Amino acid sequence: MNHTERREFRWPALLTADGRGIAYGGDYNPDQWPEHVWDDDIRLMRQAGVNTVALAIFSWSKIQPTEDTWDFDWLDRIIAKLGDAGIAVDLASATASAPMWLYEKHPEVLPKDRYGHVINPGSRQSWRPTSPVFREYALELCRRLAERYGGNPTVTAWHMGNEYGWNNRSDYSDDALHAFRAWCERRYGTIARLNEAWGTAFWSQHVNSFDEVLLPYHMGGDAMVNPAQQLDFERFGNDMLLDFYKAERDAIEAVCPDKPFTTNFMVSTDQCCMDYAQWAGEVDFVSNDHYFHEGESHLDELVCSDALMDALSLNHPWYVMEHSTSAVQWKPLNVRKRHGELLRDSLAHVAMGADAINFFQWRQSASGAEAFHSAMVPHAGEDSRVFRRVCDLGAALRTLSDAGVQGSRLVRSDTAILFDAQSEWATRSRTLPSGDLNHWHDVRDWYRAFLDAGVRADVVPLAYDWSAYRTVVLPTVLMLSDDDVRRLAGFAAAGGRVVVGYATGLVDETFRVGLGGYPGAGDGLLRDLLGVRSEEVNIVGAADGEPDAVRLSNGVVSRLWQNDVTAVADDATVVATYDGCEAAAWELGGVPAIVRHPYGKGEASYVGCDLDRHDIAVLLDDGSLGVAVAALPDDADGSRIIHTTRIADDGSCRFDFYMNRGHEPVAMPWPAGERVLAFGCDDDADANTGHDGPAMCRMGRDAMLVTKRNLGR
Ligand code: GLA
Ligand code: GLA
């Protein structure tokens, strides 16, 4: 689906008088607890200001304890209690985790791994997305839920599945094989086109018909998979889950057309599992599960992930379906949140356009695999720091709601960093010059470098329309189609600025290398746009006794990857070359590393080597890339505050959010505007207060300051 043909934006109502308000709550699993706990849950939810829960996500075996028995009574009772308390329900399709009886009766729904081993049940998502048997059971459950709760006024949205693809994205079963053959036939039409696209002349991989097409199984030892086949398998996995989601959604929608649908995406830290540029068109409102990355990149990473969410939702508000009040339990070491982070992180999501703040989960489990995962009501109970913070957050969200934040739109930047999930899958191929390529991490490095330079960029899917931006940046977008390159060239010709990173545009959408010199995508058009031609790739870091970094003439240092640029266009400007003894050791002395090239009314900048975020920031700051970085006067240092703005849909007012990126307190002019709320900021800490100059405030480590200003429209 093209992103322009998407479902209409629909946002779930709350049970407030006008249905409005920032949604606040979490995954609620009452089936893990005896019923006498439920009244206590509701009392505490009201105390905390919770107005929404996501219900029954993993409740299939409780709803359908055997094939022939259905038990909705408990669900009726808890939905009624929640409704009476004014708490809206985002009701799950409950299909993420199937009951054991289903696996016992139909072991043929279990996926297989690449070795052909059966994936056993007992965790969750132990089912084949392509299984017709499983689909029948799942759709039956969807229909029954829709019939029973479609008209229930407490249920205001449908939460489909849960994190589709988390555990069953790659299935090598026979169902998958047959579905893959059909998928390939739909994609390529003829077997000749598939042979061409996969380059099957290599290693005698030619296939005579779609019946000979295989999944990328384990082939013994270290044997390498055809990268084009692997990439199609990734696309196929994405498409099968999206089909499955649509089938579930359609089954419910046939009975209950008037409530919005969503499913929780996984955009955070190391995950960007599915091609959400496609998925976003199939939901009525976009939701995300975000888990924090501990350490100094914590806030930057959160804001970067959220920037992609804002783009996926086409600047409509979006939903934080899950995040954590404190530590998770699934990392080797699980760091808890600092005292202020629960509130700051939640409000940071609001600052980035979220109108719903929810956690995994409401009450911390006493048993099971997630007992040590934090929750809104911790093991310690209501008399706990975490629960008091949860109540503080409820009050803060209420204040923002009352001030009119809900429905306001995030003000966009004039720079877009382009992200492409399919390039991200492609960079994981083991067949590339470096096994360390990571498109998502390079997006984050560029994002953080822009923050260091005082600019908040946007993160936009390559497939979407970014033509209104002034600058687009392509970090490690390995794969570009002819059409992508034409769009980039057209954008530059019309006056845009294109910044292209070292591993961008090496292959097309079939993983075929563009010939004639790197970067060869677009049949030479990308080289023409950039005004460079590179003959070889230089990889450092693996050779004993050789330098593992190469210095450039402007002082920045490249690691990992350098393109050996052997020709630049006459009208190009070489901004920096490789220089010094490391460059000499690698035969790169004097080779152009950073090049700018005018193109039509615009310009392209080429960064032909891997740079870390600090060095990218240097290039942005000193104007090497020609990108305008008007440092915001938010703080004395120019770059330690993240500042975002949301503007009311009718233009009547704006909300400004200020956050401290670092660990040290930052002095910042107290922003003009009617103060709405502030946390961890100290407005009389600076001697300037009371003088003619601007009053200063001190932003503590986890501080968040929000102001509202009427725009008089
Ligand atoms: C072996 C094989 C060749 C080729 C090279 C690559 O020598 O025989 O076909 O794969 O490795 O290094
Ligand atoms: C995911 C799942 C939740 C829970 C959390 C734990 O986001 O959707 O059910 O397992 O992870 O962090």
Side-chain angles (χ1 to χ4, degrees):
M1 172 186 269
N2 185 306
H3 80 280
T4 53
E5 312 157 5
R6 28 202 291 160
R7 286 169 69 93
E8 198 190 328
F9 172 73
R10 292 194 290 171
W11 187 257
L14 295 181
L15 303 185
T16 51
D18 61 359
R20 291 181 58 81
I22 295 178
Y24 179 44
D27 286 8
Y28 182 34
N29 298 304
D31 37 333
Q32 290 180 10
W33 298 92
E35 288 203 21
H36 67 81
V37 177
W38 298 1
D39 290 325
D40 202 43
D41 284 334
I42 299 219
R43 176 181 67 82
L44 294 176
M45 284 179 193
R46 290 177 64 102
Q47 192 177 325
V50 164
N51 55 29
T52 309
V53 293
L55 189 65
I57 296 175
F58 297 108
S59 302
W60 190 344
S61 70
K62 178 93 173 164
I63 293 170
Q64 192 183 7
T66 70
E67 179 159 9
D68 306 316
T69 41
W70 295 84
D71 179 4
F72 292 105
D73 292 350
W74 69 276
L75 204 48
D76 294 350
R77 286 197 296 280
I78 188 62
I79 291 176
K81 277 178 193 288
L82 289 162
D84 289 346
I87 298 166
V89 169
D90 168 30
L91 187 61
S93 61
T95 50
S97 201
M100 292 305 270
W101 59 256
L102 198 162
Y103 295 123
E104 273 297 309
K105 181 165 180 201
H106 294 289
E108 74 274 21
V109 308
L110 294 169
K112 288 189 176 168
D113 69 11
R114 60 193 289 264
Y115 301 92
H117 301 145
V118 172
I119 308 278
N120 290 298
S123 180
R124 46 184 168 172
Q125 292 173 325
S126 315
W127 43 269
R128 305 176 181 178
T130 53
S131 162
V133 175
F134 185 77
R135 182 177 286 219
E136 210 172 296
Y137 281 96
L139 297 191
E140 168 76 5
L141 175 57
C142 289
R143 274 190 292 273
R144 294 218 184 206
L145 285 165
E147 279 157 11
R148 192 152 188 118
Y149 300 108
N152 188 314
T154 299
V155 173
T156 63
W158 292 102
H159 177 297
M160 305 309 299
N162 191 64
E163 297 190 336
Y164 284 95
W166 178 77
N167 202 31
N168 57 353
R169 191 191 187 313
S170 302
D171 168 31
Y172 297 80
S173 66
D174 285 351
D175 283 333
L177 175 65
H178 296 132
F180 186 56
R181 289 173 173 168
W183 182 93
C184 288
E185 195 162 357
R186 285 196 300 279
R187 184 173 177 87
Y188 294 108
T190 65
I191 200 65
R193 286 208 202 102
L194 178 138
N195 279 302
E196 171 69 13
W198 287 11
T200 55
F202 184 80
W203 282 351
S204 214
Q205 290 172 352
H206 182 88
V207 278
N208 291 312
S209 75
F210 288 101
D211 295 338
E212 289 181 7
V213 168
L214 296 179
L215 301 172
Y217 302 109
H218 173 63
M219 293 167 295
D222 244 358
M224 286 190 178
V225 176
N226 178 327
Q229 177 194 13
Q230 179 69 39
L231 182 60
D232 272 345
F233 181 63
E234 302 293 337
R235 291 180 174 125
F236 160 78
N238 176 78
D239 291 1
M240 292 304 101
L241 281 153
L242 185 54
D243 273 1
F244 188 84
Y245 156 79
K246 289 191 319 199
E248 291 191 301
R249 179 200 65 196
D250 293 350
I252 292 180
E253 193 163 36
V255 181
C256 172
D258 55 342
K259 291 178 184 175
F261 291 86
T262 199
T263 185
N264 39 352
F265 297 171
M266 291 172 276
V267 175
S268 68
T269 56
D270 287 326
Q271 307 191 44
C272 213
C273 177
M274 313 303 276
D275 188 354
Y276 294 122
Q278 296 175 23
W279 285 71
E282 298 290 352
V283 296
D284 296 318
F285 63 99
V286 164
S287 306
N288 194 39
D289 292 354
H290 184 272
Y291 286 94
F292 73 102
H293 187 65
E294 59 280 350
E296 60 108 20
S297 64
H298 179 140
L299 182 65
D300 289 2
E301 185 286 315
L302 181 156
V303 174
C304 177
S305 288
D306 284 4
L308 179 58
M309 298 315 297
D310 179 69
L312 289 170
S313 65
L314 298 188
N315 208 217
H316 286 292
W318 51 277
Y319 212 99
V320 176
M321 189 59 84
E322 295 178 21
H323 66 154
S324 61
T325 58
S326 189
V328 299
Q329 95 312 352
W330 40 260
K331 299 183 183 181
L333 297 171
N334 297 291
V335 176
R336 68 174 170 152
K337 282 194 174 173
R338 294 164 45 77
H339 291 201
E341 280 173 339
L342 187 162
L343 200 71
R344 195 281 313 273
D345 283 5
S346 298
L347 299 187
H349 290 303
V350 177
M352 289 300 293
D355 271 356
I357 298 298
N358 291 265
F359 292 98
F360 177 83
Q361 61 175 323
W362 164 251
R363 188 182 281 278
Q364 189 169 16
S365 304
S367 341
E370 295 184 321
F372 286 97
H373 190 295
S374 61
M376 297 171 84
V377 181
H379 288 152
E382 65 186 289
D383 181 12
S384 61
R385 178 176 66 82
V386 167
F387 187 66
R388 282 188 284 277
R389 299 276 156 186
V390 163
C391 295
D392 292 345
L393 173 59
L397 291 173
R398 183 63 196 268
T399 304
L400 290 179
S401 266
D402 292 347
V405 167
Q406 193 208 339
S408 60
R409 309 281 187 115
L410 182 67
V411 173
R412 289 195 158 168
S413 163
D414 60 11
T415 298
I417 301 172
L418 302 185
F419 173 70
D420 178 37
Q422 301 193 23
S423 265
E424 168 63 15
W425 305 336
T427 58
R428 294 195 212 132
S429 171
R430 286 177 47 224
T431 61
L432 293 165
S434 161
D436 286 346
L437 284 187
N438 190 317
H439 174 37
W440 183 232
H441 286 181
D442 284 351
V443 165
R444 193 187 312 156
D445 281 352
W446 276 85
Y447 189 87
R448 298 189 73 199
F450 271 102
L451 288 177
D452 292 343
V455 172
R456 188 173 52 77
D458 292 344
V459 179
V460 179
L462 173 69
Y464 283 15
D465 179 8
W466 30 261
S467 60
Y469 285 91
R470 199 196 301 179
T471 301
V472 297
V473 183
L474 291 90
T476 317
V477 187
L478 183 75
M479 198 166 67
L480 289 175
S481 67
D482 288 354
D483 187 51
D484 294 331
V485 179
R486 275 195 294 271
R487 283 210 294 153
L488 288 167
F491 171 77
R497 171 173 303 280
V498 178
V499 180
V500 165
Y502 61 97
T504 291
L506 301 185
V507 301
D508 72 6
E509 71 277 19
T510 66
F511 220 104
R512 179 176 293 267
V513 178
L515 302 180
Y518 307 126
D523 200 18
L525 182 57
L526 184 59
R527 283 194 303 271
D528 292 346
L529 168 63
L530 298 171
V532 298
R533 175 172 179 268
S534 151
E535 291 182 25
E536 288 178 61
V537 168
N538 191 61
I539 299 294
V540 301
D544 280 349
E546 301 287 357
D548 60 3
V550 181
R551 197 166 296 278
L552 273 60
S553 54
N554 59 356
V556 304
V557 177
S558 158
R559 294 163 219 284
L560 189 66
W561 179 309
Q562 299 81 33
N563 289 310
D564 194 350
V565 171
T566 50
V568 298
D570 292 343
D571 54 349
T573 305
V574 175
V575 175
T577 55
Y578 301 105
D579 196 31
C581 54
E582 301 117 340
W586 289 108
E587 298 187 309
L588 285 172
V591 168
I594 299 172
V595 177
R596 279 168 64 173
H597 184 233
Y599 193 84
K601 294 185 190 146
E603 195 185 43
S605 302
Y606 177 64
V607 179
C609 55
D610 179 33
L611 298 173
D612 77 16
R613 146 223 171 186
H614 296 290
D615 280 336
I616 298 169
V618 168
L619 300 183
L620 292 172
D621 256 337
D622 71 11
S624 293
L625 303 180
V627 178
V629 287
L632 301 168
D634 286 332
D635 62 271
D637 301 319
S639 60
R640 290 169 60 190
I641 295 289
I642 295 179
H643 172 198
T644 75
T645 303
R646 292 180 62 166
I647 295 196
D649 232 5
D650 61 3
S652 60
C653 64
R654 61 184 278 168
F655 300 90
D656 286 281
F657 299 78
Y658 302 86
M659 297 156 267
N660 180 353
R661 294 174 68 201
H663 293 180
E664 302 305 320
V666 185
M668 180 183 91
W670 188 257
E674 169 197 333
R675 175 167 144 189
V676 177
L677 64 111
F679 293 100
C681 319
D682 180 353
D683 60 356
D684 56 15
D686 194 278
N688 271 343
T689 308
H691 292 253
D692 288 345
M696 299 295 282
C697 61
R698 221 173 60 107
M699 296 284 289
R701 173 163 172 182
D702 306 315
M704 164 63 80
L705 177 66
V706 190
T707 65
K708 174 181 179 178
R709 200 183 311 168
N710 288 318
L711 296 174
R713 269 178 245 161

